[in-house]
Structures are given as C-alpha cells and as structure tokens.
C-alpha cells in the first residue's frame, strides 16, 4: 500500500518515524476520516474547515501543503488511485506536532500522513444501541474533533463488544445524551429534528453539519439539546450519522423506535447525492 508522508508518496514499508514522534508519545495531534466515492472526496470543504479549526485549537502551524486545498486534493486523489480506492474508499489524514520535547513542545510546526484503502458500502440495517456505563464525554476546546479523545471511543468500543450491541450511547458528565461511540445522534419528534448540543462534548461531525444545513434550508425546525436519555422515549424516530452515512436506530436498551420515518428517508437521499 502507498501513503503520503509530508507530501511524499511512499510504500508503507518505507515509512520511518522516530521514537520521539509526538503523536505516539503524547497523542499531540488529530485526524480526519474522509469517504471517497467515485474518485471524489465527499464533503471535502467541511473537512478542510474542521482541519483548520483543529489546528488552531492545538496551536499547530499547518504546513503549506495542507493550506492549499486544490493541490492537496490532487495529491490525495493520486494516492486514492494508487491504492485502488476510487470507487468507494476511506481516506485518513493524520496531523501531529513536529519535534521532540516532553509535555512542553519544542515547536508549533506539524507533520502529516495520509492513507487510503478500499472500503465496503456500509449496511443500512437499523442499529441496536446499548448505554455506555464505563466512560462519559466531557466538553473541552478539543472535543469537537477526532484525536485527543480517542481513548474514550476505544473504551466505549470495548464495552460495545462485551455487550454485543451495534453501538453505544455515550452520556456527558452531566448525564445528557451526547453521541454514539461511532456517530452523532439525532432524534425526531413531531416533525422537528433534535441532536445533542456541542456542549455535551460530542464531535462536530461532518455529516452532522450537513444534516443541520439541509434541514434548516428545507424549513425543518432544528434543536441542539441538552437532553437526558429518558427524554428520547417520546421520540418518533432516532438515527445515527457519521461520514459513512445515516442508519436508523431500532432501539436504545429498552427504548424502541420506528426504524422508518419520512425525514430519515429524505436525509438518506441527500447523503446519496453527495
């Protein structure tokens, strides 16, 4: 497999990183996961925007290559072709602080790595969701993007595996519904769309941004909520959304939802048109 390391196309076997690598030593970085469809980077502008915001939050000075969207897109598409991921694939862009040092960094400059691989189209089967008891989300300047809080989702994934569910509902430290282990959470009640507020510590997902835009443009009432799990009981439907798409939620523990709803169907059609 080929990869891009600081803009240089390499074979995977030729990648060499120092032991002082700050992503390895201190998790001092972040990542973006991008879906590739028919050779195009889905929602590329939204990923660019979050990449810039994450760099500002971590006080990272992005290299010029990451600040030139068209040139970067061309490089990434070349990588996608090299790895036969054009039809449908998953691209991961990792960015971390350069240099060594202990907790106090030596520099604000950044290194980056991009990988791409073919992927299978995700299933549309409704989700069975459990409630995570082991870990909780917490709002911070870093909770809106992926990377610094990765261990939270790892532990939630272990609990999901032990319970045999498809996903896990994560609560905030205040007990509000925040997100799923691998997706943003939405529910529908009386024609309005609800989703946890970013203040719960949930990720500001790429598809989340698009869903909110689509609904507001279509005149659908949208509410970003601090809601307890018990408040979901009265919902007409619930669904999960991440970069791979939208999946209806059939149940969250004892709460059962109708897996079919016109608004969910319409939103899935919007995703298919991306």
């Amino acid at each position: 497999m080929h990869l891009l390391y600081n803009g240089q196309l390499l074979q995977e076997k030729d990648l060499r990183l120092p032991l002082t690598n700050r992503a390895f030593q201190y998790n001092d970085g972040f990542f973006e996961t991008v879906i590739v469809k028919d050779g195009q980077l889905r929602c590329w502008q939204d990923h660019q925007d979050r990449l810039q915001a994450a760099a500002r939050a971590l006080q990272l000075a992005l290299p010029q290559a990451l600040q030139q969207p068209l040139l970067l897109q061309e490089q990434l598409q070349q990588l996608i072709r090299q790895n036969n991921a054009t039809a449908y694939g998953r691209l991961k862009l990792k960015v971390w602080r350069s240099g060594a040092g202990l907790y106090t960094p030596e520099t604000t400059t950044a290194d980056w790595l991009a990988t791409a691989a073919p992927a299978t189209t995700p299933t549309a089967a409704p989700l069975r969701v459990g409630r995570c008891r082991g870990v909780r989300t917490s709002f911070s300047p870093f909770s809106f993007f992926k990377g610094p809080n990765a261990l939270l989702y790892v532990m939630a994934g272990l609990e999901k595996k032990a319970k045999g569910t498809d996903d896990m509902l994560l609560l905030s430290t205040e007990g509000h519904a925040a997100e799923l282990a691998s997706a943003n959470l939405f529910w529908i009640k009386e024609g309005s769309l609800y989703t946890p507020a970013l203040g719960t510590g949930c990720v500001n997902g790429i598809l989340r941004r698009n869903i909110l835009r689509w609904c507001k443009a279509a005149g659908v009432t949208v509410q970003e909520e601090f809601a307890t799990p018990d408040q979901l009981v009265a919902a007409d439907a619930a669904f999960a959304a991440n970069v791979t798409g939208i999946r209806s939620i059939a149940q969250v523990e004892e709460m059962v939802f109708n897996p079919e709803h016109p608004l969910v169907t319409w939103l899935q059609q919007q995703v298919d048109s991306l």
Side-chain angles (χ1 to χ4, degrees):
M1 188 174 86
H2 290 82
L3 48 81
L4 273 173
Y5 176 50
N6 288 337
Q8 183 180 2
L9 191 66
L10 300 173
Q11 288 277 359
E12 183 180 3
K13 63 181 178 61
D14 295 326
L15 178 65
R16 297 290 184 271
L17 297 175
L19 185 61
T20 54
N21 178 280
R22 293 189 62 84
F24 169 67
Q25 293 283 0
Y26 298 106
N27 199 21
D28 189 3
F30 64 93
F31 65 85
E32 287 286 322
T33 302
V34 185
I35 292 299
V36 181
K37 184 181 178 183
D38 298 327
Q40 300 302 309
L41 303 176
R42 182 189 278 176
C43 303
W44 180 233
Q45 185 57 57
D46 287 310
H47 283 288
Q48 282 285 310
D49 292 344
R50 192 168 64 179
L51 184 151
Q52 297 286 339
R56 288 193 297 271
L58 294 180
Q59 299 182 41
L60 287 175
L62 293 177
Q64 279 298 113
L66 297 186
Q67 299 189 58
Q68 299 175 306
L70 292 179
L71 178 59
L72 176 60
Q73 184 173 350
E74 290 176 5
Q75 288 185 300
L76 295 176
Q77 287 174 325
Q78 180 187 2
L79 176 67
I80 289 162
R81 291 191 293 271
Q82 287 279 355
N83 290 338
N84 299 314
T86 301
Y88 188 84
R90 183 185 292 260
L91 181 141
K92 193 169 184 179
L93 179 61
K94 298 172 264 298
V95 182
W96 64 91
R97 196 181 311 273
S98 307
L102 300 178
Y103 280 109
T104 303
E106 296 177 344
T107 179
T108 61
T109 61
D111 292 319
W112 62 281
L113 175 71
T115 58
T120 55
T121 305
T123 178
L127 293 163
R128 296 176 303 106
V129 178
R131 189 185 300 189
C132 188
R133 262 76 179 183
V135 291
R136 294 198 173 201
T137 64
S138 179
F139 176 75
S140 77
F142 320 114
S143 54
F144 73 90
F145 59 92
K146 289 283 190 176
N149 299 322
L151 191 57
L152 170 74
Y153 305 107
V154 170
M155 300 311 293
L158 289 173
E159 191 171 339
K160 176 193 75 172
K161 185 176 180 180
K163 292 183 176 178
T165 58
D166 299 315
D167 214 321
M168 299 297 287
L169 172 63
L170 292 169
L171 305 184
S172 71
T173 51
E174 293 79 19
H176 297 122
E179 60 187 342
L180 302 187
S182 58
N184 284 120
L185 170 67
F186 295 84
W187 64 96
I188 302 164
K189 182 180 178 182
E190 298 177 353
S192 295
L193 181 72
Y194 297 82
T195 193
L198 295 179
T200 62
C202 69
V203 171
N204 189 2
I206 297 302
L207 195 52
R208 179 187 189 274
R209 299 175 186 215
N210 281 274
I211 288 170
L212 297 184
R213 282 198 293 258
W214 294 332
C215 286
K216 289 174 182 177
V220 176
T221 301
V222 173
Q223 305 260 13
E224 298 184 58
E225 290 279 293
F226 292 90
T228 65
D230 291 341
Q231 291 175 262
L232 302 183
V233 173
D236 301 318
F239 64 93
N242 60 23
V243 289
T244 66
I246 289 172
R247 287 181 68 180
S248 293
I249 296 174
Q251 65 183 90
V252 178
E253 292 196 326
E254 70 282 355
M255 292 182 282
V256 178
F257 301 99
N258 183 353
E260 296 183 4
H261 191 281
L263 181 55
V264 178
T265 301
W266 179 75
L267 287 169
Q268 288 170 328
Q269 291 169 349
Q270 305 312 301
V271 175
D272 291 341
S273 68
L274 288 173

